[in-house]
Amino acid sequence: MSFDNKQQSSRWRLPAEWEPQWGVQLTWPHAGTDWAPMLDEITATYKEMASEIAKRENLMVVSETQPNIPCSMLHVPCPSNDTWARDHGFITLIDDEGQARLLDYCFNGWGEKFPAELDNAINRRLYEEEKVKGEYTDCLDFVLEGGSIESDGKGTVFTTTGCLLAPHRNQPMTQTDIEERLKHDLYAERIVWIDYGHLTGDDTDGHIDTLVRICPDDTILYAGCEDPDDEHYEDLQLMKAQLATFRTLEGKPYRLMELPMPRAIYDKDGYRLPATYANFLVINGAVLCPTYDQPNLDAVALRLIGEAFPDREIVGIDCRSVIRQHGSLHCCTMQFPSI
């Protein structure tokens, strides 16, 4: 497998999440999703997210019927299998001339674990109905979820081997093949692979947005675990050690900031849920941060996120509802950069 890398001198790049945004997409919960047993509870959480987003930028809601929410929104009537906009949404490149390129990748339910046919058709609907601006790019021959990559906006894209090399994604492609494809599509100078880290209860095989987040000024916020009795301890300690070896393109170490591990939260059947403070959303003027009704730990996490984003309001949103379907706040959203 080979790509023409002459394009890497192009103006295109994958922006960092903290760059100016046009708006955020939510794909709304409905009775045909796994949210059915707790639809009122999750809808209340989505309304809170929607309100905070709409205060600061455009809100686009994808759903078959228009939800009753007390804020301004652009409603796009469209069916969906589920609500994880981060993983079925467009991955958007921008250039220095105010243009956007909308990359439409295949979403296959995190390695064919869940139905995704309806979710996988949303992007085309948004483009054909001119709800989003940009050059449509068909990347449907490759499986890639938005939650599996992080960009610093300067040519470095971070990901995890646990997810991108997981079964039923892009076999028989090798890690080298996948890296070459990512560099080609995302106009990246390099791909940085994280080899450790996985949260019990996570369906994604280790999405980076549950573990490691890239922040301004070469800062990395990451999910930590300092309790040797916690089942995550060994793997997250290995991840921590690996992060300490990473260097910027200029050869400097990153500023590493360790987020606490929430105390274990279990579903009604006794299975641990993948609670993480790393799954925050950066929007214009604010960071929306997951909380779990654990006041001391919630406060530490919000303080650290505030230190990484000192120019933004830090807003906590109780995500105990969201983790019951094995995601958190960032997983529910997909941002569109300002162009």
Side-chain angles (χ1 to χ4, degrees), residues 164-266:
L164 265 64
L165 303 184
H168 308 290
R169 293 302 210 283
N170 289 300
Q171 286 78 13
M173 293 178 73
T174 65
Q175 181 172 343
T176 299
D177 294 334
I178 292 170
E179 178 165 325
E180 192 172 357
R181 175 65 186 255
L182 293 176
K183 285 182 177 179
H184 174 272
D185 287 7
L186 304 179
Y187 294 81
E189 291 191 42
R190 62 173 183 162
I191 308 300
V192 175
W193 295 86
I194 298 167
D195 298 315
Y196 306 98
H198 179 270
L199 300 180
T200 300
D202 172 31
D203 290 326
T204 70
D205 302 303
H207 270 186
I208 194 170
D209 70 349
T210 66
L211 299 165
V212 173
R213 303 298 305 280
I214 311 307
C215 308
D217 302 318
D218 297 325
T219 297
I220 294 178
L221 279 169
Y222 65 96
C225 181
E226 299 300 327
D227 179 3
D229 295 326
D230 191 298
E231 61 193 304
H232 297 107
Y233 177 78
E234 182 176 354
D235 206 33
L236 291 183
Q237 287 291 316
L238 289 170
M239 186 182 80
K240 177 180 180 178
Q242 186 178 27
L243 293 176
T245 70
F246 290 167
R247 296 294 181 268
T248 67
L249 282 170
E250 296 76 28
K252 299 177 181 178
Y254 287 92
R255 174 195 182 201
L256 301 179
M257 301 177 67
E258 181 174 330
L259 292 166
M261 172 64 65
R263 290 189 297 276
I265 303 172
Y266 298 91

Side-chain angles (χ1 to χ4, degrees), residues 35 42 45 84 319-328 332:
W35 297 115
I42 191 61
T45 304
W84 307 107
C319 285
R320 286 176 293 167
S321 59
V322 189
I323 62 169
R324 285 170 62 183
Q325 287 299 334
H326 310 282
S328 199
C332 302

Side-chain angles (χ1 to χ4, degrees), residues 42 51 53 117 131 182 214 256 296:
I42 191 61
S51 175
I53 293 165
E117 181 179 358
K131 304 299 184 183
L182 293 176
I214 311 307
L256 301 179
N296 292 340

Side-chain angles (χ1 to χ4, degrees), residues 28-37 39 80-83:
W28 206 257
H30 58 84
T33 65
D34 289 341
W35 297 115
L39 191 57
S80 67
N81 297 105
D82 217 322
T83 58

Side-chain angles (χ1 to χ4, degrees), residues 141-159:
D141 61 331
F142 188 75
V143 175
L144 185 67
E145 300 121 22
S148 69
I149 55 174
E150 280 277 304
S151 173
D152 66 356
K154 301 184 293 185
T156 298
V157 172
F158 297 76
T159 191

